[in-house]
């Protein structure tokens, strides 16, 4: 069974082709995994610009699919002239009337290559930027139209959870989904989400904690911007904070930041006040030099990590979990990883955290959920509507 997955929820266009391996569990070989980042384009705006993201996805996705098929050894060019039927042309025109360039590119692909041996397609339906999500969905439905392949709509956040559970076996080149003890708790930390999720069993999710305002990744990005650092701010802040720790810089008393909601009884969080506190300190600072930036970066990272670990500890306790699964772009953060590992040791639970390379958005995570759904007899969909705020509880 070969599955092709598509991820276009934010500023990464990604295609992955996986081949399911034998065994009861979800096990697979990655035949190709392509991630095309738009970061350089969005940097000038200091964040992701949705209509630009959509345009870029539409411009690049077909070529990326062709490259992925080629790398997976599934691309066979036609040796004769071939034209799509009128019926296919009409369907594509209707489906892709908002993406004429993608329609032209896909038509060239369909007419130039033979139907590849792909058995299923998985595509991100949400959450994310709706214009961007539509590109992936419409592309998937176009492939379904012409190649007659079933399409599975996937929740992006479930993808982040499953990535945390992936084990890579170098010897046989196989990824395998771990089977942890349930109930589990997931900590999801990305550019759009900060959630604590109770997982009675894989595939079933209940949100038990949430941010009231900014997501933690968003806070990293905004604080970075206040310090004049480029987008995306997470890695920039993390870099400066690591330097501050190596140099053992002491954070002056007037630069200490709050730990918002750390003592609230619930599992909710808030990060927008933290960003305002940084703004106040930046404004009061005459000389925003490298040393000041390092101090703010390390104090901000410490504050966020203190809050996240405290809330996670409480969630683990309240849910009676043996397992913590971490996911989302911010799970690449070194300090957060260290502190969560320490917590797992002291509080004696199993920690599953993604390989740093797979922490950010990618199509491998969408493929993994797709295979999980197929293994659990979920049905594909004929019609898929992008949902920018699709909750993991509804997936
Ligand atoms: O999951 P993701 O790639 O995209 C969304 O689904 O939002 O997360 C992106 C977020 C960005 O806000 C980025 O600044 C943050 O993850 N991020 C980090 C690090 N690497 C990426 N935040 C803190 N430390 C990092 N090392
Ligand atoms: Zn994400």
């Amino acid at each position: 069974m070969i599955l092709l997955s598509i991820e276009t929820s934010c500023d990464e266009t990604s295609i992955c082709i996986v081949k399911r391996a034998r065994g009861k569990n979800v096990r697979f070989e990655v035949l190709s995994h392509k991630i095309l980042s738009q970061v350089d384009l969005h940097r000038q705006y200091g964040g992701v610009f949705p209509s630009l993201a959509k345009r870029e996805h539409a411009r690049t996705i077909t070529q990326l699919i062709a490259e992925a098929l080629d790398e997976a050894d599934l691309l066979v060019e036609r040796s004769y002239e071939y034209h799509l039927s009128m019926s296919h042309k009409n369907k594509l025109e209707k489906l892709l009337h908002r993406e004429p360039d993608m329609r032209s590119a896909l038509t060239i692909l369909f007419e130039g290559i033979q139907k590849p041996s792909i058995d299923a397609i998985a595509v991100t339906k949400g959450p994310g930027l709706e214009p961007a999500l539509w590109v992936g969905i419409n592309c998937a439905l176009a492939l379904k139209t012409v190649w007659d392949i079933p399409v599975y709509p996937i929740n992006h956040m479930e993808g982040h959870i499953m990535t945390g559970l992936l084990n890579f076996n170098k010897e046989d080149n196989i990824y395998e989904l771990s089977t942890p003890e349930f109930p589990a708790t997931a900590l999801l930390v990305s550019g759009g989400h900060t959630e604590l999720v109770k997982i009675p069993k894989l595939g079933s999710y209940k949100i038990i904690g949430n941010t009231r305002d900014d997501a933690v990744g968003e806070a990293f990005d905004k604080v970075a911007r206040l310090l004049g650092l480029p987008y995306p701010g997470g890695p920039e802040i993390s870099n400066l904070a690591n330097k501050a720790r190596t140099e053992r810089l002491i954070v002056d008393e007037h630069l200490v930041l709050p730990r918002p909601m750390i003592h609230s009884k619930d599992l909710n969080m808030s990060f927008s006040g933290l960003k305002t506190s940084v703004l106040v300190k930046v404004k009061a600072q005459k000389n925003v030099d490298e040393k000041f930036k390092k101090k703010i970066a390390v104090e901000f990272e410490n504050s966020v990590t203190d809050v996240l670990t405290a809330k996670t500890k409480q969630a683990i306790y309240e849910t009676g979990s043996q397992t913590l699964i971490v996911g989302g772009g911010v799970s690449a953060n070194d300090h957060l990883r260290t502190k969560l590992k320490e917590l797992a040791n002291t509080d004696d639970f199993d920690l599953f955290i993604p390989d740093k390379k797979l922490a950010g958005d990618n199509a491998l995570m969408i493929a993994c959920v797709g295979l999980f759904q197929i293994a659990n007899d979920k049905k594909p969909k004929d019609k898929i509507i992008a949902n920018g705020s699709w909750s993991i509880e509804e997936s």
Side-chain angles (χ1 to χ4, degrees), residues 7 9-10 127 156-157 160 189-193 328-329 359-362 365:
E7 155 65 37
S9 69
C10 192
H156 179 86
M157 302 315 288
H160 278 308
V189 278
S190 72
H193 291 79
D361 292 348
N362 63 79
M365 66 191 210

Side-chain angles (χ1 to χ4, degrees), residues 231-390:
Y231 173 83
E236 301 283 335
I237 297 275
S238 167
N239 206 359
L240 281 183
N242 287 345
K243 280 187 190 158
R245 283 189 198 96
T246 314
E247 293 167 19
R248 296 181 189 281
L249 280 186
I250 308 280
V251 176
D252 319 56
E253 217 175 308
H254 72 281
L255 296 183
V256 170
L257 294 167
R259 269 56 180 163
M261 292 183 72
I262 198 162
H263 296 302
S264 74
K265 296 264 185 300
D266 58 19
L267 294 170
N268 292 328
M269 293 159 270
S270 162
F271 296 104
S272 103
L274 203 51
K275 164 202 67 193
T276 313
S277 302
V278 171
L279 175 67
V280 171
K281 297 194 192 310
V282 171
K283 281 200 167 154
Q285 179 74 12
K286 276 201 200 100
N287 185 13
V288 180
D289 57 10
E290 201 61 13
K291 198 166 177 189
F292 172 80
K293 289 184 188 178
K294 281 184 207 161
K295 287 180 183 175
I296 290 286
V298 75
E299 176 61 6
F300 170 77
E301 198 176 75
N302 286 341
S303 164
V304 162
T305 306
D306 285 352
V307 173
L308 290 173
T309 46
K311 295 289 175 178
T312 303
K313 183 183 166 93
Q314 190 184 339
I316 293 270
Y317 175 76
E318 284 184 16
T319 55
S321 296
Q322 284 290 314
T323 306
L324 174 67
I325 308 167
V326 189
V330 184
S331 69
N333 185 274
D334 291 327
H335 188 59
L336 180 63
R337 293 171 84 92
T338 305
K339 290 293 161 186
L340 288 173
K341 276 178 200 156
E342 284 174 16
L343 185 67
N345 278 332
T346 54
D347 286 32
D348 198 24
F349 57 79
D350 296 327
L351 174 67
F352 294 85
I353 196 159
D355 190 292
K356 270 170 136 189
K357 284 196 286 287
L358 291 179
D361 292 348
N362 63 79
L364 193 154
M365 66 191 210
I366 304 305
C368 183
V369 184
L371 288 182
F372 177 81
Q373 294 202 351
I374 291 167
N376 286 276
D377 287 332
K378 269 223 183 180
K379 296 285 165 261
K381 289 270 186 322
D382 288 331
K383 203 174 161 194
I384 301 172
I385 313 264
N387 184 345
S389 53
W390 196 26

Side-chain angles (χ1 to χ4, degrees), residues 175-241:
Y175 280 93
E176 176 160 10
L177 207 54
S178 313
T179 44
E181 283 201 42
F182 290 102
T185 295
L187 170 67
L188 295 175
V189 278
S190 72
H193 291 79
T194 305
E195 288 171 349
L196 281 159
V197 184
K198 182 179 176 180
I199 311 179
K201 64 178 179 53
L202 210 53
S204 161
Y205 308 99
K206 172 107 188 83
I207 297 172
I208 52 171
N210 215 329
T211 177
R212 291 190 167 168
D213 37 60
D214 291 353
V216 65
E218 191 181 356
F220 267 97
D221 295 338
K222 286 179 176 171
V223 165
R225 200 174 340 160
L226 292 175
L227 296 178
L229 303 167
Y231 173 83
E236 301 283 335
I237 297 275
S238 167
N239 206 359
L240 281 183

